[in-house]
Amino acid sequence: MPRLPRPPRSWVGRALAASGRGLTRLTKGAAAHPFVLLWALALLLLVVTWSTTTVTHDVPDSLLPVLALMTVAPLVVLAAGQRAIAAWVVSMAASLVWLVVLGHADWPMPWPVTHFLVLLLTVLVVALAGAAREVALATVVTALLFLVVMDTGLKPWAIGVVVIVAFGLLVRWLVLSRRQIARQEEEAEVERARRAVVEERSRIARELHDVVAHHMSMVVVQAQTAPYRVPGLTPEAKGELAGIEESARAALQEVRSVLGVLREEGTPVATAPQPTLADLPALLESLRAAGMDLTWHLGVDPERCPPGTGLALHRVLQEALANASRHSPGSSVRVELLLVHAEDAPRAALLTVGTSPSSGAARPVTEQGGGHGIPGMRTRVEAVGGVLTAGPTPEGGFVVTAQVPLDDRPGLGG
C-alpha cells in the first residue's frame, strides 16, 4: 500500500515541536550539569529579589544589592560544590540579618518570598544529601525559627518544614534503593557469567579427561601386559615396552595436571613441579629406551638457567623429539644444548635438535601443516625472549634451533 503524503504542519505546530525539542535538550542539559542550573537559578532570583523587595519591605536602595546577594548566596555555595549544610548555614545567617537589621514591617513574613524559598530549598538539599545529625539540626532549627518569628497564619510552615524533610528523605531512600538494586543485579550478572565459565571449563575438562585419559590408560595397560600376553619377546622389545609405559604414564600425569586447572573452583588440584633443564637427561634416556636412535650433549648448567627458560627449553625439546619420532621414523637424532657467549649480547642457551634423513616413509614437518607443534614451540621461546627456527636440511633431514637468553625473564608456565 503506497504511503500517503503527510499534510504540511502549520507554523503553530512547527513552533510547538521546536519548543518541545528545545525543552527536552534543556532538561537533559540541566540533569547532566546541575551546577549550571544552580547558577542560572541564582542569577534569576538575584534579579527578582533586587527588583521586588521594596514592594514588601522598607529597604534603602543602597542595601538592595547586598540583601539580594545574601538571598542567593546559598545557591552560590551549592553551585561551588560545597556541602548542603554549609548552604543552609549561610541561608540561616541571612535570615537573622533580615530579622535584626530590618524586621518585617507590615508584611506577614519577615523575609522576601525569594529568601523564604531559598531557605526551604537548602533544607530539602540537606535532607537529600546531608548526614543524619545535619538533617536533624536543619529541621529543628528551621521549624523553631518559623514558629518564633512568623505570624500566626504562617506558623504551620513549621510543619511544612518537617513535610519537606520527610519528602527529601523518601526521595533519598528511593534513590539509594535503586542504586543498591542495580548494584546487586550487576553483581548477580557477573556471578552468573562466572558460573557459566566455570561450568563450561568443568565440562571441557570432563570431556577431555574421558577421551584422552582413557586412551592413554589403555596404552599403559597394553604396554604393561604385553610381556605376559606375547611370548618370546626379546629383552630389547621388553625395554621398548617399558619405555612406552613410562612415557604414557608421564603424559597421562601431565594431562591430568593441566586439566586440573579447568575443574570447578574449590576442587583440589594435584600439582607437581614444572620440568626444568635438570629433567632433560631423564627425558632423553626414556626416549632412547623406547627405541629412538638418540645422542646428546648437554653443556648448560641447570642451576644457571631461570625456571621459566628451563621449562621452555624442556617443552621445545619434548615437542621436537615427538615430531622426529612421528614424522621421521628410523632416523637418528642429535640433541645439543650449548652455552653461547657474545660481547654485545647477554649469555644464551642454544638448543639444536637435528634429525637425519629417515630410512622409512618420512613426512617432513612444515609450518604449513595442520598441527600446532612448531607455532607452539615458537610461542614458548618468544615468551622468554628467544628465537626459534625450524626447517629441512640440504641432506633431507630436519633441524629445530632455539636460542634463549639466560637472564631472568618471566617464563611461560605449563
Side-chain angles (χ1 to χ4, degrees), residues 216-217 219-220 223 242-254:
M216 295 299 296
S217 299
V219 171
V220 172
I244 293 173
E245 178 188 353
E246 183 178 354
S247 298
R249 287 184 183 276
L252 183 59
Q253 181 63 32
E254 290 197 16

Side-chain angles (χ1 to χ4, degrees), residues 306-356:
T309 302
L311 173 61
L313 290 174
H314 187 282
R315 296 303 190 196
V316 168
L317 177 59
Q318 195 175 37
E319 181 67 23
L321 293 177
N323 287 340
S325 175
R326 183 164 54 249
H327 298 283
S328 300
S331 61
S332 61
V333 181
R334 173 66 178 175
V335 176
E336 291 186 347
L337 181 61
L338 305 176
L339 189 63
V340 179
H341 294 278
E343 296 181 358
D344 56 347
R347 60 191 180 91
L350 178 63
L351 174 65
T352 304
V353 182
T355 305
S356 65

